[in-house]
Coordinates of all heavy atoms in Angstrom, one line a residue:
S1 N -0.3 8.7 -13.5 CA -1.5 8.8 -14.1 C -2.3 7.6 -14.0 O -1.7 6.5 -13.6 CB -1.4 9.3 -15.6 OG -0.8 8.3 -16.3
K2 N -3.6 7.7 -14.2 CA -4.5 6.5 -14.1 C -5.4 6.6 -15.4 O -5.6 7.7 -16.0 CB -5.4 6.5 -13.0 CG -4.6 6.3 -11.7 CD -5.7 6.3 -10.5 CE -5.0 6.1 -9.2 NZ -5.9 6.1 -8.1
V3 N -6.0 5.5 -15.8 CA -7.0 5.5 -16.9 C -8.2 4.9 -16.3 O -8.2 3.8 -15.8 CB -6.5 4.7 -18.1 CG1 -7.5 4.8 -19.2 CG2 -5.2 5.3 -18.6
A4 N -9.4 5.5 -16.5 CA -10.7 5.1 -16.2 C -11.4 4.5 -17.5 O -11.3 5.2 -18.5 CB -11.5 6.1 -15.5
F5 N -12.1 3.4 -17.3 CA -12.7 2.8 -18.5 C -14.3 2.7 -18.2 O -14.7 1.7 -17.7 CB -12.2 1.4 -18.8 CG -10.8 1.5 -19.4 CD1 -9.8 1.3 -18.5 CD2 -10.6 1.8 -20.7 CE1 -8.4 1.3 -18.9 CE2 -9.2 1.8 -21.1 CZ -8.2 1.6 -20.2
P6 N -15.1 3.8 -18.5 CA -16.5 3.6 -18.3 C -17.1 2.6 -19.2 O -16.6 2.2 -20.2 CB -17.1 5.0 -18.8 CG -15.9 5.9 -18.8 CD -14.7 5.0 -19.1
R7 N -18.2 1.9 -18.7 CA -18.8 0.8 -19.4 C -19.6 1.3 -20.6 O -20.5 2.2 -20.3 CB -19.6 0.0 -18.5 CG -18.9 -0.8 -17.4 CD -19.7 -1.5 -16.5 NE -18.9 -1.9 -15.4 CZ -19.0 -3.1 -14.8 NH1 -20.1 -3.9 -15.1 NH2 -18.4 -3.5 -13.8
R8 N -19.3 0.9 -21.8 CA -20.0 1.2 -23.0 C -20.2 0.0 -23.8 O -19.4 -0.9 -23.7 CB -19.2 2.3 -23.8 CG -19.1 3.7 -23.2 CD -18.3 4.5 -24.1 NE -19.2 4.8 -25.2 CZ -19.6 6.0 -25.6 NH1 -19.2 7.1 -24.8 NH2 -20.3 6.2 -26.7
K9 N -21.3 -0.1 -24.6 CA -21.4 -1.2 -25.5 C -21.0 -0.9 -26.9 O -20.8 -1.7 -27.7 CB -23.0 -1.6 -25.4 CG -23.3 -2.2 -24.1 CD -24.7 -2.7 -24.1 CE -25.0 -3.3 -22.7 NZ -26.3 -3.9 -22.7
D10 N -21.0 0.5 -27.3 CA -20.7 0.8 -28.7 C -19.3 1.1 -28.9 O -18.9 1.2 -30.1 CB -21.6 2.1 -29.0 CG -21.3 3.2 -28.2 OD1 -20.9 3.0 -27.0 OD2 -21.4 4.4 -28.7
A11 N -18.4 1.2 -27.9 CA -17.1 1.7 -28.1 C -16.3 1.4 -26.8 O -16.9 1.2 -25.7 CB -16.9 3.1 -28.5
V12 N -14.9 1.4 -26.9 CA -14.1 1.5 -25.7 C -13.8 2.9 -25.4 O -13.4 3.7 -26.3 CB -12.8 0.7 -25.9 CG1 -11.9 0.9 -24.7 CG2 -13.1 -0.8 -26.1
E13 N -14.1 3.3 -24.2 CA -13.8 4.8 -23.8 C -12.8 4.7 -22.7 O -12.8 3.9 -21.8 CB -15.1 5.5 -23.3 CG -14.8 6.8 -22.9 CD -16.1 7.6 -22.4 OE1 -17.1 7.0 -22.4 OE2 -16.0 8.9 -22.2
A14 N -11.7 5.6 -22.9 CA -10.6 5.6 -21.9 C -10.5 7.1 -21.5 O -10.3 8.0 -22.4 CB -9.3 5.2 -22.5
I15 N -10.6 7.4 -20.2 CA -10.4 8.7 -19.6 C -9.0 8.8 -18.9 O -8.9 8.0 -17.9 CB -11.6 9.1 -18.7 CG1 -12.8 8.9 -19.4 CG2 -11.4 10.5 -18.2 CD1 -14.0 9.1 -18.5
V16 N -8.1 9.5 -19.4 CA -6.8 9.7 -18.8 C -6.9 10.7 -17.6 O -7.3 11.8 -17.8 CB -5.8 10.1 -19.8 CG1 -4.4 10.3 -19.2 CG2 -5.7 9.2 -21.0
L17 N -6.4 10.3 -16.5 CA -6.5 11.1 -15.2 C -5.0 11.4 -14.8 O -4.3 10.4 -14.5 CB -7.2 10.3 -14.1 CG -8.6 9.8 -14.5 CD1 -9.0 8.8 -13.4 CD2 -9.6 10.9 -14.6
N18 N -4.7 12.6 -14.8 CA -3.3 13.0 -14.3 C -3.4 13.3 -12.8 O -4.1 14.2 -12.3 CB -2.9 14.3 -15.0 CG -1.5 14.8 -14.4 OD1 -0.9 14.2 -13.5 ND2 -0.9 15.8 -15.1
T19 N -3.0 12.3 -12.0 CA -3.1 12.4 -10.6 C -2.1 13.3 -9.9 O -2.1 13.5 -8.6 CB -2.9 10.9 -10.0 OG1 -1.6 10.5 -10.4 CG2 -3.9 10.0 -10.5
S20 N -1.2 13.9 -10.6 CA -0.2 14.8 -10.0 C -0.8 16.2 -9.8 O -0.1 17.0 -9.1 CB 1.1 15.0 -10.9 OG 0.8 15.7 -12.1
G21 N -1.8 16.6 -10.4 CA -2.4 17.9 -10.3 C -2.0 18.9 -11.3 O -2.6 20.1 -11.4
G22 N -1.0 18.7 -12.1 CA -0.5 19.7 -13.1 C 0.9 19.3 -13.5 O 1.5 18.4 -13.0
L23 N 1.5 20.2 -14.4 CA 2.8 20.0 -14.9 C 3.6 21.2 -14.6 O 3.1 22.3 -14.6 CB 2.7 19.8 -16.4 CG 2.0 18.6 -16.9 CD1 1.9 18.7 -18.5 CD2 2.7 17.3 -16.5
T24 N 5.0 20.9 -14.4 CA 5.8 22.1 -14.1 C 7.2 21.7 -14.8 O 7.3 20.7 -15.4 CB 5.9 22.3 -12.6 OG1 6.7 23.6 -12.4 CG2 6.6 21.3 -11.8
G25 N 8.2 22.5 -14.6 CA 9.4 22.4 -15.2 C 10.1 21.0 -15.2 O 10.2 20.5 -14.1
G26 N 10.4 20.5 -16.4 CA 11.1 19.2 -16.4 C 10.1 18.0 -16.4 O 10.5 16.9 -16.8
D27 N 8.8 18.2 -16.2 CA 7.9 17.1 -16.2 C 7.7 16.6 -17.7 O 7.8 17.4 -18.6 CB 6.6 17.5 -15.7 CG 6.5 17.7 -14.2 OD1 7.4 17.3 -13.5 OD2 5.5 18.3 -13.7
R28 N 7.5 15.3 -17.8 CA 7.2 14.7 -19.1 C 5.9 13.8 -18.9 O 5.8 13.1 -18.0 CB 8.3 13.8 -19.5 CG 9.7 14.5 -19.7 CD 9.8 15.3 -20.9 NE 11.1 15.8 -21.2 CZ 11.5 17.0 -20.6 NH1 10.7 17.7 -19.9 NH2 12.7 17.5 -20.9
F29 N 5.0 14.0 -19.8 CA 3.9 13.1 -19.8 C 3.6 12.7 -21.2 O 3.5 13.4 -22.2 CB 2.5 14.0 -19.4 CG 1.4 13.2 -19.3 CD1 1.1 12.4 -18.1 CD2 0.5 13.0 -20.3 CE1 -0.1 11.6 -18.0 CE2 -0.7 12.2 -20.2 CZ -0.9 11.5 -19.1
E30 N 3.7 11.3 -21.4 CA 3.6 10.7 -22.7 C 2.5 9.7 -22.7 O 2.3 9.0 -21.7 CB 4.8 10.0 -23.1 CG 6.1 10.8 -23.3 CD 7.3 10.1 -23.6 OE1 7.2 9.0 -24.0 OE2 8.4 10.7 -23.5
A31 N 1.6 9.7 -23.7 CA 0.5 8.7 -23.8 C 0.4 8.3 -25.2 O 0.7 9.0 -26.2 CB -0.8 9.4 -23.5
S32 N 0.1 7.0 -25.4 CA -0.2 6.4 -26.7 C -1.4 5.6 -26.7 O -1.7 5.0 -25.7 CB 1.1 5.7 -27.2 OG 1.3 4.6 -26.4
A33 N -2.1 5.5 -27.8 CA -3.3 4.8 -27.9 C -3.4 4.2 -29.3 O -3.1 4.9 -30.3 CB -4.5 5.4 -27.6
S34 N -3.9 3.0 -29.5 CA -4.1 2.4 -30.8 C -5.5 1.9 -30.9 O -6.0 1.1 -30.0 CB -3.2 1.2 -31.1 OG -1.9 1.7 -31.0
A35 N -6.2 2.2 -31.9 CA -7.5 1.6 -32.3 C -7.3 0.5 -33.3 O -6.8 0.7 -34.4 CB -8.5 2.6 -32.8
G36 N -7.5 -0.8 -32.9 CA -7.3 -2.0 -33.8 C -8.3 -2.0 -34.9 O -9.3 -1.3 -35.0
P37 N -8.2 -3.0 -35.8 CA -9.0 -3.1 -36.9 C -10.4 -3.2 -36.6 O -10.9 -3.9 -35.7 CB -8.5 -4.4 -37.6 CG -7.2 -4.5 -37.2 CD -7.1 -4.0 -35.8
D38 N -11.3 -2.3 -37.2 CA -12.7 -2.4 -37.1 C -13.3 -2.1 -35.6 O -14.3 -2.5 -35.2 CB -13.3 -3.6 -37.5 CG -13.1 -3.9 -39.0 OD1 -13.2 -3.0 -39.9 OD2 -12.7 -5.0 -39.4
S39 N -12.4 -1.4 -34.9 CA -12.8 -1.0 -33.5 C -13.2 0.4 -33.3 O -13.1 1.2 -34.3 CB -11.6 -1.3 -32.5 OG -10.6 -0.3 -32.8
R40 N -13.7 0.8 -32.2 CA -14.1 2.2 -31.9 C -13.6 2.5 -30.6 O -13.8 1.9 -29.5 CB -15.6 2.3 -31.8 CG -16.4 2.0 -33.2 CD -17.9 2.1 -33.1 NE -18.4 3.3 -32.4 CZ -18.5 4.5 -33.0 NH1 -18.3 4.6 -34.3 NH2 -18.9 5.6 -32.3
L41 N -12.8 3.6 -30.5 CA -12.1 4.0 -29.3 C -12.4 5.5 -29.1 O -12.2 6.3 -30.0 CB -10.6 3.9 -29.5 CG -9.7 4.4 -28.3 CD1 -10.0 3.8 -27.0 CD2 -8.2 4.2 -28.6
I42 N -12.7 5.9 -27.9 CA -12.9 7.3 -27.5 C -11.9 7.5 -26.3 O -11.8 6.9 -25.4 CB -14.3 7.5 -26.9 CG1 -15.4 7.1 -27.9 CG2 -14.5 9.0 -26.4 CD1 -16.8 7.1 -27.4
L43 N -11.0 8.5 -26.6 CA -9.9 8.8 -25.7 C -10.0 10.3 -25.3 O -10.1 11.1 -26.1 CB -8.6 8.6 -26.3 CG -7.3 8.8 -25.5 CD1 -7.3 7.8 -24.3 CD2 -6.1 8.6 -26.4
T44 N -10.0 10.5 -24.0 CA -10.2 11.9 -23.5 C -9.4 12.0 -22.2 O -8.9 11.1 -21.5 CB -11.7 12.2 -23.3 OG1 -11.8 13.6 -23.0 CG2 -12.3 11.4 -22.3
T45 N -9.5 13.2 -21.6 CA -8.9 13.5 -20.3 C -10.1 14.0 -19.4 O -11.1 14.4 -19.9 CB -7.8 14.6 -20.3 OG1 -8.3 15.8 -20.8 CG2 -6.6 14.2 -21.2
Q46 N -9.8 14.1 -18.1 CA -10.8 14.5 -17.2 C -11.1 16.0 -17.2 O -12.1 16.5 -16.8 CB -10.5 14.0 -15.8 CG -9.7 14.8 -14.9 CD -8.2 14.8 -15.2 OE1 -7.8 14.2 -16.2 NE2 -7.3 15.3 -14.3
A47 N -10.0 16.8 -17.5 CA -10.1 18.2 -17.6 C -8.9 18.8 -18.3 O -8.0 18.0 -18.8 CB -10.1 18.7 -16.2
A48 N -8.8 20.0 -18.5 CA -7.7 20.7 -19.1 C -6.5 20.5 -18.2 O -6.7 20.5 -17.0 CB -8.0 22.1 -19.3
E49 N -5.3 20.4 -18.7 CA -4.1 20.3 -17.9 C -3.7 21.6 -17.3 O -3.8 22.6 -18.0 CB -3.0 19.7 -18.8 CG -1.8 19.3 -18.1 CD -2.1 18.2 -17.1 OE1 -2.4 17.1 -17.5 OE2 -1.9 18.4 -15.9
R50 N -3.3 21.6 -16.1 CA -2.8 22.8 -15.4 C -1.3 22.9 -15.6 O -0.6 21.9 -15.4 CB -3.2 22.7 -13.9 CG -2.6 23.8 -13.0 CD -3.5 25.0 -13.1 NE -2.9 26.1 -12.5 CZ -3.6 26.9 -11.7 NH1 -4.8 26.8 -11.4 NH2 -2.9 27.9 -11.2
A51 N -0.8 24.0 -16.0 CA 0.6 24.2 -16.2 C 1.1 25.2 -15.1 O 0.5 26.3 -15.0 CB 1.0 24.7 -17.6
Y52 N 2.2 24.9 -14.4 CA 2.7 25.7 -13.4 C 4.0 26.4 -13.8 O 4.7 25.8 -14.5 CB 2.9 24.9 -12.1 CG 1.7 24.4 -11.4 CD1 1.2 23.1 -11.7 CD2 0.9 25.1 -10.6 CE1 0.1 22.6 -11.2 CE2 -0.3 24.7 -10.0 CZ -0.7 23.4 -10.3 OH -1.8 22.9 -9.8
R53 N 4.2 27.6 -13.3 CA 5.4 28.4 -13.5 C 6.6 27.7 -13.0 O 6.5 27.0 -12.0 CB 5.3 29.7 -12.9 CG 6.5 30.7 -13.3 CD 6.4 32.0 -12.5 NE 4.9 32.4 -12.3 CZ 4.6 33.6 -12.0 NH1 5.4 34.5 -11.8 NH2 3.3 33.8 -11.8
S54 N 7.7 27.8 -13.7 CA 8.9 27.1 -13.3 C 10.2 28.0 -13.6 O 10.1 28.7 -14.7 CB 9.1 25.7 -14.0 OG 10.3 25.2 -13.8
T55 N 11.2 27.9 -12.8 CA 12.4 28.6 -13.1 C 13.4 27.8 -13.9 O 14.5 28.3 -14.3 CB 13.0 29.1 -11.7 OG1 13.3 28.0 -11.0 CG2 12.1 30.1 -11.1
S56 N 13.1 26.5 -14.0 CA 14.0 25.6 -14.8 C 13.3 24.6 -15.6 O 12.4 24.0 -15.1 CB 15.0 24.9 -13.8 OG 14.3 24.1 -13.0
G57 N 13.7 24.4 -16.8 CA 13.2 23.3 -17.6 C 11.8 23.6 -18.2 O 11.1 24.6 -17.7
A58 N 11.3 22.8 -19.1 CA 10.0 23.0 -19.8 C 9.3 21.7 -19.5 O 9.8 20.6 -19.6 CB 10.2 23.4 -21.2
A59 N 8.0 21.8 -19.3 CA 7.1 20.6 -19.2 C 6.9 20.2 -20.7 O 6.6 21.0 -21.6 CB 5.9 20.9 -18.4
R60 N 6.7 18.9 -21.0 CA 6.4 18.4 -22.3 C 5.3 17.3 -22.3 O 5.3 16.5 -21.4 CB 7.6 17.8 -22.9 CG 8.8 18.8 -23.1 CD 9.9 18.1 -23.9 NE 11.1 18.9 -23.8 CZ 11.4 20.0 -24.6 NH1 10.5 20.3 -25.5 NH2 12.4 20.7 -24.6
V61 N 4.4 17.5 -23.2 CA 3.3 16.5 -23.3 C 3.3 16.0 -24.7 O 3.4 16.7 -25.7 CB 1.9 17.3 -23.0 CG1 0.8 16.3 -23.2 CG2 1.9 17.8 -21.6
S62 N 3.3 14.7 -24.8 CA 3.4 14.0 -26.1 C 2.3 12.9 -26.1 O 2.1 12.2 -25.2 CB 4.7 13.3 -26.3 OG 4.8 12.5 -27.4
T63 N 1.6 12.9 -27.3 CA 0.5 12.0 -27.6 C 0.7 11.3 -28.9 O 0.9 12.0 -29.9 CB -0.9 12.7 -27.5 OG1 -1.0 13.4 -26.2 CG2 -2.0 11.7 -27.6
R64 N 0.5 10.0 -28.9 CA 0.8 9.3 -30.2 C -0.5 8.4 -30.3 O -0.8 7.6 -29.5 CB 2.0 8.4 -30.1 CG 2.3 7.7 -31.4 CD 3.6 6.9 -31.3 NE 4.5 7.9 -30.8 CZ 5.8 7.9 -31.0 NH1 6.3 7.0 -31.9 NH2 6.7 8.8 -30.6
L65 N -1.1 8.6 -31.5 CA -2.4 7.9 -31.8 C -2.2 7.1 -33.1 O -1.6 7.6 -34.0 CB -3.6 8.8 -31.9 CG -3.7 9.7 -30.7 CD1 -4.8 10.8 -31.1 CD2 -4.2 9.0 -29.5
S66 N -2.7 5.9 -33.2 CA -2.8 5.2 -34.4 C -4.2 4.6 -34.6 O -4.8 4.1 -33.6 CB -1.7 4.1 -34.4 OG -1.8 3.1 -33.4
V67 N -4.6 4.5 -35.8 CA -5.9 3.9 -36.2 C -5.8 2.9 -37.3 O -5.2 3.3 -38.4 CB -6.8 5.1 -36.6 CG1 -8.2 4.6 -37.0 CG2 -6.8 6.2 -35.6
A68 N -6.1 1.8 -37.1 CA -6.1 0.7 -38.1 C -7.2 0.8 -39.1 O -8.2 1.5 -38.9 CB -6.1 -0.7 -37.4
K69 N -7.2 0.1 -40.1 CA -8.2 0.0 -41.2 C -9.6 -0.3 -40.5 O -9.8 -1.2 -39.9 CB -7.9 -1.0 -42.2 CG -8.8 -1.0 -43.4 CD -8.4 -1.9 -44.5 CE -9.3 -1.8 -45.7 NZ -8.8 -2.7 -46.8
G70 N -10.6 0.5 -40.9 CA -11.9 0.3 -40.4 C -12.3 0.8 -39.0 O -13.3 0.7 -38.5
A71 N -11.2 1.3 -38.3 CA -11.4 1.7 -37.0 C -11.8 3.2 -36.9 O -11.7 4.0 -37.8 CB -10.1 1.6 -36.2
V72 N -12.4 3.6 -35.8 CA -12.7 5.0 -35.5 C -12.2 5.4 -34.2 O -12.2 4.6 -33.2 CB -14.3 5.1 -35.4 CG1 -14.7 6.5 -34.9 CG2 -15.0 4.7 -36.7
L73 N -11.5 6.6 -34.1 CA -10.9 7.1 -32.9 C -11.4 8.5 -32.7 O -11.2 9.3 -33.6 CB -9.3 7.0 -33.1 CG -8.6 7.7 -31.9 CD1 -8.8 7.0 -30.6 CD2 -7.1 7.7 -32.3
H74 N -11.9 8.8 -31.5 CA -12.4 10.1 -31.1 C -11.5 10.5 -30.0 O -11.3 9.8 -29.1 CB -13.9 10.2 -30.7 CG -14.8 9.9 -31.8 ND1 -15.2 10.8 -32.7 CD2 -15.5 8.7 -32.2 CE1 -16.0 10.3 -33.6 NE2 -16.2 9.0 -33.3

């Protein structure tokens, strides 16, 4: 995956890009983000994730977010 950071003056924006094209059996995708004290963070993806049929295993997506005092996270 990659992350794109468009230029903004009011917040940090992060766009997560899955370069694999989708998820299938056994795939794992984990992301974490933290908004520090008094910051503004916008976190998004480029599109809905594509899930492919598999005969073995399950794909798993995990996201962990944390927001400090005074911060805003969208």
